[in-house]
Amino acid sequence: MSIRLAPSILSADFSALGRDIDAITRGGADQVHVDVMDGHFVPNLTIGVPVVRSLRKATSLPLDVHLMITDPDRFIEPFIDAGANLVSVHVEVLPHLHRTIGLIKKLGAQAGVVLNPSTPVGAIAEVAADVDFVLVMSVNPGFGGQVFIPRSLAKIRAVRALLDAAGNTTAPIEVDGGVDLVTVAPVVEAGGDWLVAGQAVFGAGNPEAAARALKDAALHAARGGRR
Ligand code: DX5
Ligand code: ZN
């Protein structure tokens, strides 16, 4: 599985998104992580379809849209029409998760399912063969800049085992929350493939250098680690 860096624009400068995306592109970002929050499922509001449509014009990188909203089924088509390439939905709000995964794929995007820190891995057992990727939340969603929850490492391993047992050996695991230069190596060693990072990329003033350093650390861990 190849490593991908997915900077989260949640911590970017919203008045200069084009500039910030150019910077992370130069720094080696592989996809742009877009955090959509509705003030219901999570206690914060962010951005919606029009911003994704504008981002589509600003970058050729895949747009990785993480829907932290109570009714994702209503918005999947508008987000994909606007240019989302990857769409991830939370298992906690979807009674018909299998149908939702099918809808995302039918509309031409890659389908991811997301697990909150308190959601057991078994919640995705019945769809493990169907997903294109799994997103493990390593903080409680809602805000950037939170501290990585150490228990997430065991969860990443358990998700890998579940996907492999279902025969879905090629589905990557995305890890989101508190990924930085300290936590990235253990995350990669545990089986994290796609690394979301907000504060670690945009928090220190030079997103290009920060993205490059984080990606280098991830690649180094993937080469030298236990995977
Ligand atoms: C949290 C979001 C994350 C967040 C990550 O609710 O889903 O994508 O922006 O930010 P950091 O890397 O700062 O924890
Ligand atoms: Zn996210």
Side-chain angles (χ1 to χ4, degrees):
M1 227 82 66
S2 59
I3 295 290
R4 287 194 200 176
L5 179 64
S8 163
I9 59 164
L10 187 58
S11 293
D13 179 347
F14 277 25
S15 72
L17 278 180
R19 180 203 66 195
D20 277 1
I21 285 175
D22 287 347
I24 59 168
T25 304
R26 290 193 302 274
D30 298 284
Q31 59 199 36
V32 178
H33 188 80
V34 182
D35 286 308
V36 177
M37 305 185 186
D38 66 353
H40 293 276
F41 178 58
V42 291
N44 198 5
L45 281 168
T46 54
I47 56 178
V49 172
V51 175
V52 170
R53 195 175 295 117
S54 294
L55 290 171
R56 184 67 292 157
K57 289 184 232 149
T59 182
S60 55
L61 290 179
L63 297 177
D64 167 26
V65 175
H66 174 192
L67 297 178
M68 286 162 277
I69 61 182
T70 51
D71 194 1
D73 286 337
R74 276 176 59 202
F75 294 97
I76 285 166
E77 187 160 9
F79 274 111
I80 293 174
D81 281 350
N85 304 94
L86 306 113
V87 176
S88 55
V89 293
H90 274 259
V91 56
E92 297 85 7
V93 295
L94 284 164
H96 309 295
L97 185 57
H98 182 268
R99 177 190 290 152
T100 302
I101 291 166
L103 174 65
I104 296 169
K105 289 177 162 183
K106 190 181 87 180
L107 294 171
Q110 285 195 275
V113 292
V114 193
L115 295 165
N116 274 338
S118 65
T119 303
V121 172
I124 57 166
E126 299 301 327
V127 295
D130 304 309
V131 296
D132 291 312
F133 65 102
V134 174
L135 196 171
V136 173
M137 285 307 306
S138 40
V139 299
N140 290 292
F143 303 94
Q146 301 184 80
V147 175
F148 183 87
I149 298 171
R151 164 84 193 155
S152 312
L153 296 174
K155 195 164 192 182
I156 294 165
R157 287 190 202 95
V159 169
R160 183 71 269 153
L162 179 72
L163 289 168
D164 289 351
N168 200 352
T169 54
T170 56
I173 299 176
E174 185 167 32
V175 181
D176 186 0
V179 174
D180 59 20
L181 285 172
V182 174
T183 55
V184 70
V187 163
V188 169
E189 284 163 13
D193 303 293
W194 296 354
L195 308 156
V196 178
Q199 273 302 113
V201 169
F202 293 107
N206 187 341
E208 177 183 344
R212 187 172 292 118
L214 196 54
K215 185 155 173 200
D216 283 352
L219 291 172
H220 181 77
R223 277 195 302 268
R226 296 182 292 274
R227 51 175 285 184

